[in-house]
């Protein structure tokens, strides 16, 4: 039997529609959430991501401002802009689009963002809050993964979850969120011995590797839910870390690429921006 195809596009639209209603209510109380995106240089993929974020803001009613800086922008100049945005009362969320040009220290920039405006959830303070289960801003992609599981009624509590990948932006936070939702969590990486034996134990398998079609059908337990975070550009177009066509015949539920986890990242970013606006407004009372 073929797996249920998890429709990330639809869930993302649902979340955005829910947020649009919430924002309309907030505006009646004088709160207008605002997101400022900083884009440095001319990376084509980054331009597409930023455009999509602007579109989502417009749909929901979030005020969006873009700062477009040239590729040769210096670190001090970018840090000065971040400082201005930190002190600008109209700005609820600050997002510095990554990657940054090589003359800029990414870590220093992320560290400079006011944690209360860090809607990407990358600041070490927010990473720490995620660890202790006190997140205001959960990192967007991992939080999107959890949302997909929940909205498809996939039982996380008690499930054996295997996360392949241990990056700071996907693998580790995804594992932590699964743990907070009472899964028994295993994290695998490039040094894992006999990866297939580990992935075959997963009731929930999260692939965040960055290698096209790396997870094959023989690595998946029959009936598992498979969430593919991978976004790999190949000659045949965009493809995930999972061999979708073969794995969908084994799994009970699976995300496609594109149209699975990808659209969720922006929806959660929007949710974080609204949360930032509400938290800041509550702090002023
Ligand atoms: P990283 O390159 O930072 O991490 C990849 C992880 O995969 C590492 O932990 C690495 O292990 C592990 N890995 C690599 N090769 C193997 C292997 N042969 N066996 C087991 N583990 C392996 O990638 P990211 O976490 O940033 O991204 C992962 C994927 O998710 C990419 O395709 C990226 O494009 C996509 N992505 C998608 C997003 C979305 O919105 N949908 C958002 C962010 C990322 P080790 O640590 O040992 O090197």
């Amino acid at each position: 039997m073929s797996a249920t195809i998890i429709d990330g596009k639809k869930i993302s639209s649902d979340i955005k529609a829910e947020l649009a209603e919430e924002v309309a209510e907030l505006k009646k109380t004088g709160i207008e959430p605002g997101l400022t995106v900083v884009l440095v240089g001319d990376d084509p993929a980054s331009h597409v991501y930023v455009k999509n974020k602007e579109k989502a803001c417009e749909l929901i009613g979030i005020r969006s401002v873009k700062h477009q800086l040239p590729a040769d922008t210096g670190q001090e100049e970018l840090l000065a802009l971040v400082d201005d945005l930190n002190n600008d009362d109209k700005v609820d969320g600050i997002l510095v689009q990554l990657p940054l040009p090589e003359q800029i220290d990414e870590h220093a920039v992320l560290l400079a963002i006011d944690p209360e405006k860090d809607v990407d959830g990358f600041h070490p303070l927010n990473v720490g809050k995620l660890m202790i289960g006190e997140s205001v801003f959960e990192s967007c992609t991992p939080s999107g993964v959890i949302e997909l599981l929940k909205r498809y009624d996939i039982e996380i509590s008690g499930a054996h979850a295997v996360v392949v990948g241990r990056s700071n932006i996907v693998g580790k936070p995804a594992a932590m969120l699964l743990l907070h939702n009472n899964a028994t969590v295993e994290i695998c990486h490039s040094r894992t011995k006999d990866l297939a034996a580990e992935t075959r134990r997963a009731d929930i398998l999260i692939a965040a590797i960055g290698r096209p079609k790396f997870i094959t059908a023989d690595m998946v337990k029959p009936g598992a839910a498979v969430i593919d975070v991978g976004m790999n550009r190949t000659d045949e177009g965009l493809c995930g870390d999972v061999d979708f066509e073969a794995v969908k015949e084994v799994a009970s539920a699976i995300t496609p690429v594109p149209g699975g986890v990808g659209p969720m990242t922006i929806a959660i970013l929007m949710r974080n921006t609204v949360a930032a606006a509400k938290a800041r407004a509550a702090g002023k009372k």
Side-chain angles (χ1 to χ4, degrees):
M1 207 178 65
S2 212
T4 299
I5 309 301
I6 296 176
D7 188 347
K9 239 173 148 172
K10 177 183 181 298
I11 302 290
S12 169
S13 299
D14 290 351
I15 292 174
K16 285 187 265 187
E18 290 158 19
L19 287 171
E21 277 180 28
E22 192 179 351
V23 167
E25 288 304 313
L26 285 173
K27 283 183 178 167
K28 287 181 196 160
T29 68
I31 300 170
E32 189 192 10
L35 175 68
T36 296
V37 178
V38 180
L39 179 58
V40 187
D42 349 277
D43 178 54
S46 292
H47 276 267
V48 173
Y49 294 144
V50 168
K51 187 118 217 96
N52 289 340
K53 286 165 189 170
E54 286 177 311
K55 267 200 249 166
C57 282
E58 197 181 328
L59 187 87
I60 295 166
I62 293 173
R63 189 170 18 85
S64 89
V65 176
K66 180 171 80 175
H67 288 264
Q68 162 93 63
L69 305 179
D72 61 358
T73 299
Q75 169 132 340
E76 291 311 313
E77 197 183 329
L78 181 55
L79 287 174
L81 173 61
V82 169
D83 191 45
D84 284 348
L85 298 174
N86 284 343
N87 292 308
D88 184 340
D89 199 43
K90 286 205 196 70
V91 177
D92 295 302
I94 302 170
L95 184 144
V96 178
Q97 184 65 48
L98 302 179
L100 290 168
E102 58 185 16
Q103 75 275 14
I104 296 176
D105 175 358
E106 235 165 60
H107 186 68
V109 174
L110 297 180
L111 207 58
I113 296 173
D114 178 347
E116 292 185 6
K117 296 186 176 188
D118 167 42
V119 283
D120 251 340
F122 289 160
H123 191 285
L125 190 82
N126 287 322
V127 175
K129 282 188 173 180
L130 181 87
M131 180 92 177
I132 61 173
E134 284 183 8
S135 280
V136 183
F137 310 124
E138 289 177 354
S139 38
C140 300
T141 303
S143 184
V145 167
I146 300 292
E147 200 65 38
L148 286 178
L149 292 169
K150 287 187 174 168
R151 291 195 184 221
Y152 272 80
D153 290 327
I154 294 165
E155 182 77 23
I156 304 177
S157 180
H160 188 92
V162 175
V163 181
V164 188
R166 57 173 165 180
S167 72
N168 289 332
I169 60 161
V170 190
K172 282 186 212 163
M176 203 47 65
L177 291 177
L178 287 161
L179 184 62
H180 290 323
N181 282 279
N182 299 318
T184 301
V185 184
E186 184 182 340
I187 305 175
C188 298
H189 44 78
S190 66
R191 311 285 175 90
T192 298
K193 286 182 185 154
D194 199 355
L195 181 67
E198 303 304 333
T199 56
R200 272 197 295 268
R201 297 172 56 196
D203 303 311
I204 297 173
L205 178 59
I206 314 288
I209 311 161
R211 294 185 174 225
K213 300 186 185 179
F214 184 82
I215 302 288
T216 47
D218 59 310
M219 297 170 79
V220 176
K221 174 166 145 181
V226 180
I227 306 291
D228 188 353
V229 184
M231 287 210 301
N232 308 293
R233 278 164 223 289
T234 67
D235 293 343
E236 293 124 52
L238 193 64
C239 113
D241 289 343
V242 175
D243 182 0
F244 179 80
E245 287 306 323
V247 172
K248 81 175 185 342
E249 300 306 322
V250 181
S252 61
I254 186 168
T255 56
V257 176
V261 175
M264 294 300 292
T265 303
I266 288 187
I268 305 296
L269 173 72
M270 298 295 119
R271 190 167 80 181
N272 284 350
T273 304
V274 174
K278 287 198 294 189
R280 292 182 64 246
K284 282 180 208 154
K285 278 182 188 156

